[in-house]
mmCIF file of all heavy atoms in Angstrom:
data_model
loop_
_atom_site.group_PDB
_atom_site.id
_atom_site.type_symbol
_atom_site.label_atom_id
_atom_site.label_comp_id
_atom_site.label_asym_id
_atom_site.label_seq_id
_atom_site.Cartn_x
_atom_site.Cartn_y
_atom_site.Cartn_z
ATOM 1 N N ARG A 1089 -192.747 32.258 71.744
ATOM 2 C CA ARG A 1089 -192.053 32.571 73.001
ATOM 3 C C ARG A 1089 -191.131 33.787 72.726
ATOM 4 O O ARG A 1089 -190.818 34.152 71.615
ATOM 5 C CB ARG A 1089 -191.136 31.388 73.423
ATOM 6 C CG ARG A 1089 -191.832 30.060 73.606
ATOM 7 C CD ARG A 1089 -192.619 30.047 74.902
ATOM 8 N NE ARG A 1089 -192.835 28.660 75.445
ATOM 9 C CZ ARG A 1089 -193.744 27.874 74.903
ATOM 10 N NH1 ARG A 1089 -194.552 28.228 73.901
ATOM 11 N NH2 ARG A 1089 -193.884 26.630 75.446
ATOM 12 N N SER A 1090 -190.697 34.387 73.843
ATOM 13 C CA SER A 1090 -189.737 35.451 73.691
ATOM 14 C C SER A 1090 -188.376 34.873 73.384
ATOM 15 O O SER A 1090 -188.087 33.672 73.676
ATOM 16 C CB SER A 1090 -189.655 36.302 75.007
ATOM 17 O OG SER A 1090 -189.140 35.478 76.021
ATOM 18 N N THR A 1091 -187.447 35.682 72.881
ATOM 19 C CA THR A 1091 -186.098 35.198 72.647
ATOM 20 C C THR A 1091 -185.389 34.706 73.902
ATOM 21 O O THR A 1091 -184.768 33.629 73.881
ATOM 22 C CB THR A 1091 -185.290 36.331 71.957
ATOM 23 O OG1 THR A 1091 -185.897 36.716 70.726
ATOM 24 C CG2 THR A 1091 -183.862 35.885 71.640
ATOM 25 N N PRO A 1092 -185.461 35.411 74.993
ATOM 26 C CA PRO A 1092 -184.827 34.835 76.209
ATOM 27 C C PRO A 1092 -185.443 33.498 76.628
ATOM 28 O O PRO A 1092 -184.726 32.596 77.077
ATOM 29 C CB PRO A 1092 -185.127 35.908 77.310
ATOM 30 C CG PRO A 1092 -185.242 37.208 76.546
ATOM 31 C CD PRO A 1092 -185.942 36.767 75.235
ATOM 32 N N ALA A 1093 -186.738 33.359 76.500
ATOM 33 C CA ALA A 1093 -187.398 32.081 76.811
ATOM 34 C C ALA A 1093 -186.887 31.002 75.924
ATOM 35 O O ALA A 1093 -186.694 29.848 76.335
ATOM 36 C CB ALA A 1093 -188.915 32.219 76.723
ATOM 37 N N VAL A 1094 -186.691 31.285 74.651
ATOM 38 C CA VAL A 1094 -186.240 30.251 73.708
ATOM 39 C C VAL A 1094 -184.764 29.851 74.101
ATOM 40 O O VAL A 1094 -184.397 28.691 73.988
ATOM 41 C CB VAL A 1094 -186.224 30.811 72.251
ATOM 42 C CG1 VAL A 1094 -185.556 29.856 71.271
ATOM 43 C CG2 VAL A 1094 -187.704 30.996 71.799
ATOM 44 N N ARG A 1095 -184.008 30.815 74.577
ATOM 45 C CA ARG A 1095 -182.633 30.502 74.994
ATOM 46 C C ARG A 1095 -182.709 29.484 76.166
ATOM 47 O O ARG A 1095 -181.926 28.528 76.189
ATOM 48 C CB ARG A 1095 -181.945 31.747 75.490
ATOM 49 C CG ARG A 1095 -181.403 32.651 74.450
ATOM 50 C CD ARG A 1095 -180.658 33.845 75.056
ATOM 51 N NE ARG A 1095 -180.032 34.666 74.111
ATOM 52 C CZ ARG A 1095 -178.869 34.452 73.510
ATOM 53 N NH1 ARG A 1095 -178.226 33.298 73.849
ATOM 54 N NH2 ARG A 1095 -178.418 35.254 72.603
ATOM 55 N N GLN A 1096 -183.606 29.714 77.053
ATOM 56 C CA GLN A 1096 -183.763 28.812 78.191
ATOM 57 C C GLN A 1096 -184.228 27.433 77.782
ATOM 58 O O GLN A 1096 -183.757 26.389 78.323
ATOM 59 C CB GLN A 1096 -184.707 29.377 79.257
ATOM 60 C CG GLN A 1096 -184.157 30.640 79.963
ATOM 61 C CD GLN A 1096 -182.849 30.426 80.552
ATOM 62 O OE1 GLN A 1096 -182.675 29.410 81.309
ATOM 63 N NE2 GLN A 1096 -181.831 31.291 80.343
ATOM 64 N N ILE A 1097 -185.151 27.383 76.827
ATOM 65 C CA ILE A 1097 -185.649 26.112 76.298
ATOM 66 C C ILE A 1097 -184.488 25.280 75.670
ATOM 67 O O ILE A 1097 -184.278 24.128 75.893
ATOM 68 C CB ILE A 1097 -186.787 26.306 75.310
ATOM 69 C CG1 ILE A 1097 -188.009 26.853 76.012
ATOM 70 C CG2 ILE A 1097 -187.081 25.011 74.568
ATOM 71 C CD1 ILE A 1097 -189.092 27.291 75.059
ATOM 72 N N ALA A 1098 -183.679 26.058 74.886
ATOM 73 C CA ALA A 1098 -182.535 25.408 74.235
ATOM 74 C C ALA A 1098 -181.536 24.863 75.278
ATOM 75 O O ALA A 1098 -181.008 23.793 75.122
ATOM 76 C CB ALA A 1098 -181.797 26.409 73.305
ATOM 77 N N SER A 1099 -181.272 25.666 76.277
ATOM 78 C CA SER A 1099 -180.304 25.263 77.326
ATOM 79 C C SER A 1099 -180.794 23.978 78.031
ATOM 80 O O SER A 1099 -180.049 23.037 78.277
ATOM 81 C CB SER A 1099 -180.124 26.373 78.349
ATOM 82 O OG SER A 1099 -179.259 26.003 79.361
ATOM 83 N N ARG A 1100 -182.110 23.957 78.392
ATOM 84 C CA ARG A 1100 -182.689 22.827 79.020
ATOM 85 C C ARG A 1100 -182.621 21.531 78.101
ATOM 86 O O ARG A 1100 -182.218 20.438 78.553
ATOM 87 C CB ARG A 1100 -184.115 23.010 79.375
ATOM 88 C CG ARG A 1100 -184.772 21.995 80.182
ATOM 89 C CD ARG A 1100 -186.138 22.368 80.728
ATOM 90 N NE ARG A 1100 -187.135 22.544 79.686
ATOM 91 C CZ ARG A 1100 -187.811 23.712 79.459
ATOM 92 N NH1 ARG A 1100 -187.570 24.748 80.208
ATOM 93 N NH2 ARG A 1100 -188.677 23.812 78.533
ATOM 94 N N ALA A 1101 -182.990 21.712 76.831
ATOM 95 C CA ALA A 1101 -182.907 20.639 75.932
ATOM 96 C C ALA A 1101 -181.516 20.097 75.751
ATOM 97 O O ALA A 1101 -181.205 18.885 75.689
ATOM 98 C CB ALA A 1101 -183.501 21.053 74.540
ATOM 99 N N ARG A 1102 -180.567 21.021 75.669
ATOM 100 C CA ARG A 1102 -179.174 20.649 75.442
ATOM 101 C C ARG A 1102 -178.599 19.826 76.616
ATOM 102 O O ARG A 1102 -177.914 18.832 76.436
ATOM 103 C CB ARG A 1102 -178.355 21.952 75.295
ATOM 104 C CG ARG A 1102 -176.965 21.808 74.680
ATOM 105 C CD ARG A 1102 -176.341 23.193 74.494
ATOM 106 N NE ARG A 1102 -177.164 23.992 73.595
ATOM 107 C CZ ARG A 1102 -177.657 25.183 73.910
ATOM 108 N NH1 ARG A 1102 -177.473 25.687 75.095
ATOM 109 N NH2 ARG A 1102 -178.330 25.831 72.986
ATOM 110 N N ARG A 1103 -178.948 20.242 77.833
ATOM 111 C CA ARG A 1103 -178.513 19.477 78.971
ATOM 112 C C ARG A 1103 -179.101 18.036 78.969
ATOM 113 O O ARG A 1103 -178.406 17.119 79.360
ATOM 114 C CB ARG A 1103 -178.911 20.197 80.263
ATOM 115 C CG ARG A 1103 -178.104 21.511 80.518
ATOM 116 C CD ARG A 1103 -178.417 21.981 81.977
ATOM 117 N NE ARG A 1103 -177.643 23.196 82.213
ATOM 118 C CZ ARG A 1103 -178.105 24.436 82.011
ATOM 119 N NH1 ARG A 1103 -179.333 24.548 81.542
ATOM 120 N NH2 ARG A 1103 -177.371 25.485 82.330
ATOM 121 N N ARG A 1104 -180.331 17.958 78.623
ATOM 122 C CA ARG A 1104 -180.942 16.630 78.639
ATOM 123 C C ARG A 1104 -180.339 15.751 77.615
ATOM 124 O O ARG A 1104 -180.017 14.585 77.876
ATOM 125 C CB ARG A 1104 -182.413 16.757 78.291
ATOM 126 C CG ARG A 1104 -183.232 15.427 78.313
ATOM 127 C CD ARG A 1104 -184.677 15.680 78.299
ATOM 128 N NE ARG A 1104 -185.133 16.419 79.515
ATOM 129 C CZ ARG A 1104 -186.290 17.044 79.644
ATOM 130 N NH1 ARG A 1104 -187.114 17.004 78.606
ATOM 131 N NH2 ARG A 1104 -186.643 17.602 80.707
ATOM 132 N N VAL A 1105 -180.080 16.236 76.406
ATOM 133 C CA VAL A 1105 -179.402 15.450 75.319
ATOM 134 C C VAL A 1105 -178.039 15.054 75.751
ATOM 135 O O VAL A 1105 -177.590 13.894 75.590
ATOM 136 C CB VAL A 1105 -179.403 16.231 74.006
ATOM 137 C CG1 VAL A 1105 -178.556 15.426 72.979
ATOM 138 C CG2 VAL A 1105 -180.796 16.418 73.471
ATOM 139 N N GLN A 1106 -177.219 15.983 76.324
ATOM 140 C CA GLN A 1106 -175.869 15.727 76.700
ATOM 141 C C GLN A 1106 -175.842 14.728 77.863
ATOM 142 O O GLN A 1106 -174.944 13.894 77.912
ATOM 143 C CB GLN A 1106 -175.170 16.973 77.112
ATOM 144 C CG GLN A 1106 -174.954 17.941 75.909
ATOM 145 C CD GLN A 1106 -174.392 19.296 76.349
ATOM 146 O OE1 GLN A 1106 -174.308 19.566 77.524
ATOM 147 N NE2 GLN A 1106 -173.972 20.088 75.367
ATOM 148 N N SER A 1107 -176.809 14.795 78.725
ATOM 149 C CA SER A 1107 -176.830 13.859 79.913
ATOM 150 C C SER A 1107 -177.225 12.435 79.498
ATOM 151 O O SER A 1107 -176.884 11.493 80.239
ATOM 152 C CB SER A 1107 -177.752 14.410 81.019
ATOM 153 O OG SER A 1107 -179.089 14.302 80.584
ATOM 154 N N ARG A 1108 -177.928 12.300 78.396
ATOM 155 C CA ARG A 1108 -178.428 10.982 78.048
ATOM 156 C C ARG A 1108 -177.647 10.315 76.858
ATOM 157 O O ARG A 1108 -177.990 9.203 76.524
ATOM 158 C CB ARG A 1108 -179.916 11.129 77.546
ATOM 159 C CG ARG A 1108 -180.847 11.580 78.666
ATOM 160 C CD ARG A 1108 -181.080 10.452 79.600
ATOM 161 N NE ARG A 1108 -181.782 9.282 78.955
ATOM 162 C CZ ARG A 1108 -183.083 9.222 78.835
ATOM 163 N NH1 ARG A 1108 -183.902 10.165 79.277
ATOM 164 N NH2 ARG A 1108 -183.655 8.177 78.210
ATOM 165 N N SER A 1109 -176.671 11.013 76.304
ATOM 166 C CA SER A 1109 -176.036 10.478 75.110
ATOM 167 C C SER A 1109 -174.538 10.624 75.255
ATOM 168 O O SER A 1109 -174.023 11.539 75.677
ATOM 169 C CB SER A 1109 -176.501 11.202 73.849
ATOM 170 O OG SER A 1109 -175.745 10.772 72.720
ATOM 171 N N ALA A 1110 -173.834 9.463 74.767
ATOM 172 C CA ALA A 1110 -172.411 9.497 74.733
ATOM 173 C C ALA A 1110 -171.988 9.749 73.263
ATOM 174 O O ALA A 1110 -170.780 9.663 72.938
ATOM 175 C CB ALA A 1110 -171.858 8.114 75.111
ATOM 176 N N ASP A 1111 -172.861 10.177 72.416
ATOM 177 C CA ASP A 1111 -172.582 10.428 71.056
ATOM 178 C C ASP A 1111 -171.681 11.631 70.846
ATOM 179 O O ASP A 1111 -171.824 12.645 71.557
ATOM 180 C CB ASP A 1111 -173.862 10.752 70.276
ATOM 181 C CG ASP A 1111 -173.683 10.708 68.799
ATOM 182 O OD1 ASP A 1111 -173.130 11.654 68.264
ATOM 183 O OD2 ASP A 1111 -174.136 9.732 68.178
ATOM 184 N N PRO A 1112 -170.650 11.579 69.983
ATOM 185 C CA PRO A 1112 -169.713 12.696 69.813
ATOM 186 C C PRO A 1112 -170.402 13.972 69.402
ATOM 187 O O PRO A 1112 -169.969 15.043 69.754
ATOM 188 C CB PRO A 1112 -168.841 12.203 68.681
ATOM 189 C CG PRO A 1112 -168.923 10.718 68.738
ATOM 190 C CD PRO A 1112 -170.269 10.404 69.206
ATOM 191 N N VAL A 1113 -171.591 13.878 68.704
ATOM 192 C CA VAL A 1113 -172.292 15.089 68.388
ATOM 193 C C VAL A 1113 -172.655 15.958 69.570
ATOM 194 O O VAL A 1113 -172.647 17.139 69.541
ATOM 195 C CB VAL A 1113 -173.545 14.737 67.540
ATOM 196 C CG1 VAL A 1113 -174.423 15.938 67.352
ATOM 197 C CG2 VAL A 1113 -173.127 14.113 66.194
ATOM 198 N N ALA A 1114 -173.024 15.334 70.661
ATOM 199 C CA ALA A 1114 -173.455 15.984 71.843
ATOM 200 C C ALA A 1114 -172.480 15.992 72.954
ATOM 201 O O ALA A 1114 -172.722 16.322 74.065
ATOM 202 C CB ALA A 1114 -174.780 15.317 72.337
ATOM 203 N N ASP A 1115 -171.220 15.594 72.628
ATOM 204 C CA ASP A 1115 -170.158 15.547 73.650
ATOM 205 C C ASP A 1115 -169.612 16.894 73.917
ATOM 206 O O ASP A 1115 -168.895 17.486 73.093
ATOM 207 C CB ASP A 1115 -169.072 14.577 73.115
ATOM 208 C CG ASP A 1115 -167.900 14.438 74.144
ATOM 209 O OD1 ASP A 1115 -168.067 14.951 75.312
ATOM 210 O OD2 ASP A 1115 -166.883 13.834 73.789
ATOM 211 N N PRO A 1116 -169.875 17.440 75.119
ATOM 212 C CA PRO A 1116 -169.422 18.815 75.373
ATOM 213 C C PRO A 1116 -167.907 18.949 75.480
ATOM 214 O O PRO A 1116 -167.306 19.951 75.150
ATOM 215 C CB PRO A 1116 -170.016 19.135 76.760
ATOM 216 C CG PRO A 1116 -170.384 17.810 77.317
ATOM 217 C CD PRO A 1116 -170.705 16.934 76.160
ATOM 218 N N ALA A 1117 -167.188 17.837 75.854
ATOM 219 C CA ALA A 1117 -165.749 17.854 75.900
ATOM 220 C C ALA A 1117 -165.147 18.015 74.500
ATOM 221 O O ALA A 1117 -164.238 18.817 74.257
ATOM 222 C CB ALA A 1117 -165.236 16.598 76.530
ATOM 223 N N ARG A 1118 -165.731 17.288 73.535
ATOM 224 C CA ARG A 1118 -165.215 17.379 72.186
ATOM 225 C C ARG A 1118 -165.621 18.772 71.587
ATOM 226 O O ARG A 1118 -164.734 19.388 70.926
ATOM 227 C CB ARG A 1118 -165.909 16.284 71.323
ATOM 228 C CG ARG A 1118 -165.466 16.375 69.827
ATOM 229 C CD ARG A 1118 -166.344 15.463 68.946
ATOM 230 N NE ARG A 1118 -166.082 15.755 67.596
ATOM 231 C CZ ARG A 1118 -166.608 16.737 66.854
ATOM 232 N NH1 ARG A 1118 -167.544 17.516 67.476
ATOM 233 N NH2 ARG A 1118 -166.338 16.886 65.609
ATOM 234 N N GLN A 1119 -166.763 19.263 71.846
ATOM 235 C CA GLN A 1119 -167.159 20.593 71.366
ATOM 236 C C GLN A 1119 -166.225 21.675 71.937
ATOM 237 O O GLN A 1119 -165.793 22.559 71.251
ATOM 238 C CB GLN A 1119 -168.604 20.834 71.749
ATOM 239 C CG GLN A 1119 -169.647 19.967 70.994
ATOM 240 C CD GLN A 1119 -171.049 20.116 71.535
ATOM 241 O OE1 GLN A 1119 -171.221 20.527 72.692
ATOM 242 N NE2 GLN A 1119 -172.007 19.854 70.760
ATOM 243 N N ARG A 1120 -165.878 21.491 73.223
ATOM 244 C CA ARG A 1120 -165.002 22.467 73.917
ATOM 245 C C ARG A 1120 -163.613 22.439 73.193
ATOM 246 O O ARG A 1120 -163.004 23.488 73.001
ATOM 247 C CB ARG A 1120 -164.888 22.132 75.356
ATOM 248 C CG ARG A 1120 -164.010 23.099 76.140
ATOM 249 C CD ARG A 1120 -163.991 22.718 77.608
ATOM 250 N NE ARG A 1120 -163.429 21.379 77.801
ATOM 251 C CZ ARG A 1120 -163.502 20.727 78.919
ATOM 252 N NH1 ARG A 1120 -164.219 21.251 79.976
ATOM 253 N NH2 ARG A 1120 -163.023 19.489 79.011
ATOM 254 N N ARG A 1121 -163.123 21.234 72.840
ATOM 255 C CA ARG A 1121 -161.835 21.182 72.218
ATOM 256 C C ARG A 1121 -161.835 21.878 70.869
ATOM 257 O O ARG A 1121 -160.845 22.581 70.504
ATOM 258 C CB ARG A 1121 -161.415 19.676 71.966
ATOM 259 C CG ARG A 1121 -161.032 18.976 73.214
ATOM 260 C CD ARG A 1121 -160.332 17.688 73.021
ATOM 261 N NE ARG A 1121 -161.203 16.727 72.311
ATOM 262 C CZ ARG A 1121 -161.967 15.884 72.999
ATOM 263 N NH1 ARG A 1121 -162.064 15.864 74.273
ATOM 264 N NH2 ARG A 1121 -162.716 15.002 72.264
ATOM 265 N N VAL A 1122 -162.947 21.776 70.115
ATOM 266 C CA VAL A 1122 -163.036 22.420 68.826
ATOM 267 C C VAL A 1122 -163.045 23.953 69.063
ATOM 268 O O VAL A 1122 -162.306 24.692 68.371
ATOM 269 C CB VAL A 1122 -164.333 22.031 68.080
ATOM 270 C CG1 VAL A 1122 -164.544 22.902 66.877
ATOM 271 C CG2 VAL A 1122 -164.269 20.589 67.703
ATOM 272 N N VAL A 1123 -163.783 24.435 70.022
ATOM 273 C CA VAL A 1123 -163.813 25.840 70.349
ATOM 274 C C VAL A 1123 -162.471 26.363 70.787
ATOM 275 O O VAL A 1123 -162.031 27.475 70.405
ATOM 276 C CB VAL A 1123 -164.935 26.147 71.413
ATOM 277 C CG1 VAL A 1123 -164.836 27.589 71.852
ATOM 278 C CG2 VAL A 1123 -166.317 25.876 70.746
ATOM 279 N N GLU A 1124 -161.853 25.602 71.688
ATOM 280 C CA GLU A 1124 -160.492 26.050 72.153
ATOM 281 C C GLU A 1124 -159.530 26.119 71.025
ATOM 282 O O GLU A 1124 -158.661 27.056 71.011
ATOM 283 C CB GLU A 1124 -160.027 25.149 73.249
ATOM 284 C CG GLU A 1124 -160.760 25.243 74.586
ATOM 285 C CD GLU A 1124 -160.323 24.235 75.593
ATOM 286 O OE1 GLU A 1124 -159.662 23.253 75.234
ATOM 287 O OE2 GLU A 1124 -160.642 24.460 76.804
ATOM 288 N N ALA A 1125 -159.546 25.190 70.102
ATOM 289 C CA ALA A 1125 -158.676 25.260 68.943
ATOM 290 C C ALA A 1125 -158.984 26.448 68.060
ATOM 291 O O ALA A 1125 -158.040 27.142 67.535
ATOM 292 C CB ALA A 1125 -158.815 23.946 68.108
ATOM 293 N N PHE A 1126 -160.260 26.755 67.961
ATOM 294 C CA PHE A 1126 -160.614 27.954 67.176
ATOM 295 C C PHE A 1126 -160.130 29.256 67.819
ATOM 296 O O PHE A 1126 -159.600 30.179 67.197
ATOM 297 C CB PHE A 1126 -162.193 28.003 66.976
ATOM 298 C CG PHE A 1126 -162.673 29.151 66.221
ATOM 299 C CD1 PHE A 1126 -162.732 29.072 64.842
ATOM 300 C CD2 PHE A 1126 -163.062 30.313 66.802
ATOM 301 C CE1 PHE A 1126 -163.179 30.124 64.046
ATOM 302 C CE2 PHE A 1126 -163.520 31.372 66.036
ATOM 303 C CZ PHE A 1126 -163.623 31.324 64.670
ATOM 304 N N LEU A 1127 -160.324 29.386 69.150
ATOM 305 C CA LEU A 1127 -159.880 30.562 69.832
ATOM 306 C C LEU A 1127 -158.320 30.725 69.819
ATOM 307 O O LEU A 1127 -157.826 31.822 69.616
ATOM 308 C CB LEU A 1127 -160.277 30.491 71.312
ATOM 309 C CG LEU A 1127 -161.786 30.542 71.593
ATOM 310 C CD1 LEU A 1127 -162.079 30.351 73.081
ATOM 311 C CD2 LEU A 1127 -162.346 31.913 71.107
ATOM 312 N N ALA A 1128 -157.641 29.602 69.862
ATOM 313 C CA ALA A 1128 -156.148 29.650 69.723
ATOM 314 C C ALA A 1128 -155.775 30.090 68.396
ATOM 315 O O ALA A 1128 -154.844 30.968 68.250
ATOM 316 C CB ALA A 1128 -155.543 28.319 70.135
ATOM 317 N N ALA A 1129 -156.401 29.539 67.375
ATOM 318 C CA ALA A 1129 -156.064 29.924 65.975
ATOM 319 C C ALA A 1129 -156.405 31.428 65.775
ATOM 320 O O ALA A 1129 -155.711 32.122 65.014
ATOM 321 C CB ALA A 1129 -156.828 29.076 65.021
ATOM 322 N N SER A 1130 -157.499 31.862 66.420
ATOM 323 C CA SER A 1130 -157.837 33.304 66.247
ATOM 324 C C SER A 1130 -156.829 34.188 66.861
ATOM 325 O O SER A 1130 -156.369 35.167 66.294
ATOM 326 C CB SER A 1130 -159.190 33.513 66.950
ATOM 327 O OG SER A 1130 -159.553 34.854 66.976
ATOM 328 N N ARG A 1131 -156.417 33.857 68.092
ATOM 329 C CA ARG A 1131 -155.376 34.678 68.811
ATOM 330 C C ARG A 1131 -154.064 34.720 67.987
ATOM 331 O O ARG A 1131 -153.410 35.780 67.979
ATOM 332 C CB ARG A 1131 -155.121 34.128 70.231
ATOM 333 C CG ARG A 1131 -156.251 34.446 71.180
ATOM 334 C CD ARG A 1131 -155.787 34.078 72.600
ATOM 335 N NE ARG A 1131 -155.653 32.693 72.789
ATOM 336 C CZ ARG A 1131 -156.614 31.834 73.249
ATOM 337 N NH1 ARG A 1131 -157.827 32.377 73.531
ATOM 338 N NH2 ARG A 1131 -156.436 30.589 73.443
ATOM 339 N N GLU A 1132 -153.695 33.588 67.425
ATOM 340 C CA GLU A 1132 -152.399 33.473 66.796
ATOM 341 C C GLU A 1132 -152.462 33.813 65.279
ATOM 342 O O GLU A 1132 -151.410 33.730 64.587
ATOM 343 C CB GLU A 1132 -151.883 32.009 66.957
ATOM 344 C CG GLU A 1132 -151.618 31.700 68.468
ATOM 345 C CD GLU A 1132 -151.459 30.193 68.642
ATOM 346 O OE1 GLU A 1132 -151.266 29.470 67.625
ATOM 347 O OE2 GLU A 1132 -151.590 29.750 69.843
ATOM 348 N N GLY A 1133 -153.574 34.227 64.820
ATOM 349 C CA GLY A 1133 -153.702 34.644 63.444
ATOM 350 C C GLY A 1133 -153.487 33.522 62.398
ATOM 351 O O GLY A 1133 -152.960 33.797 61.345
ATOM 352 N N ARG A 1134 -153.915 32.321 62.704
ATOM 353 C CA ARG A 1134 -153.755 31.149 61.775
ATOM 354 C C ARG A 1134 -155.053 31.033 60.941
ATOM 355 O O ARG A 1134 -155.914 30.269 61.289
ATOM 356 C CB ARG A 1134 -153.436 29.927 62.516
ATOM 357 C CG ARG A 1134 -152.075 29.931 63.242
ATOM 358 C CD ARG A 1134 -151.696 28.618 63.889
ATOM 359 N NE ARG A 1134 -152.204 28.614 65.251
ATOM 360 C CZ ARG A 1134 -153.120 27.764 65.664
ATOM 361 N NH1 ARG A 1134 -153.692 26.879 64.856
ATOM 362 N NH2 ARG A 1134 -153.502 27.742 66.933
ATOM 363 N N PHE A 1135 -155.130 31.803 59.842
ATOM 364 C CA PHE A 1135 -156.322 31.885 59.039
ATOM 365 C C PHE A 1135 -156.709 30.528 58.475
ATOM 366 O O PHE A 1135 -157.881 30.150 58.559
ATOM 367 C CB PHE A 1135 -156.054 32.834 57.913
ATOM 368 C CG PHE A 1135 -157.259 32.961 56.983
ATOM 369 C CD1 PHE A 1135 -158.313 33.791 57.292
ATOM 370 C CD2 PHE A 1135 -157.284 32.233 55.751
ATOM 371 C CE1 PHE A 1135 -159.413 33.890 56.404
ATOM 372 C CE2 PHE A 1135 -158.362 32.334 54.922
ATOM 373 C CZ PHE A 1135 -159.433 33.172 55.214
ATOM 374 N N ASP A 1136 -155.812 29.734 57.966
ATOM 375 C CA ASP A 1136 -156.162 28.421 57.395
ATOM 376 C C ASP A 1136 -156.728 27.493 58.440
ATOM 377 O O ASP A 1136 -157.672 26.733 58.119
ATOM 378 C CB ASP A 1136 -154.939 27.824 56.730
ATOM 379 C CG ASP A 1136 -154.485 28.521 55.436
ATOM 380 O OD1 ASP A 1136 -155.349 29.291 54.896
ATOM 381 O OD2 ASP A 1136 -153.374 28.363 54.980
#
């Protein structure tokens, strides 16, 4: 497949997994918290 097509396949698969599972691994809210913490640490220069 082309790279853009693979992106779309991944997006479709991700939505299906997230909609069918309450597992923390696929929990978008938890993933978002991790990313928000990373962005905050990046802005504030907290290397550790």
Side-chain angles (χ1 to χ4, degrees):
R1089 301 285 202 283
S1090 67
T1091 299
V1094 172
R1095 282 183 177 277
Q1096 292 303 312
I1097 292 170
S1099 180
R1100 185 172 67 236
R1102 196 175 299 123
R1103 287 191 181 93
R1104 182 169 297 163
V1105 172
Q1106 291 174 351
S1107 68
R1108 296 286 297 272
S1109 175
D1111 193 286
V1113 170
D1115 178 9
R1118 177 189 171 279
Q1119 293 172 334
R1120 182 178 60 193
R1121 288 194 295 272
V1122 172
V1123 170
E1124 288 177 344
F1126 182 85
L1127 294 174
S1130 173
R1131 285 191 291 268
E1132 296 165 15
R1134 291 184 274 115
F1135 178 81
D1136 290 343

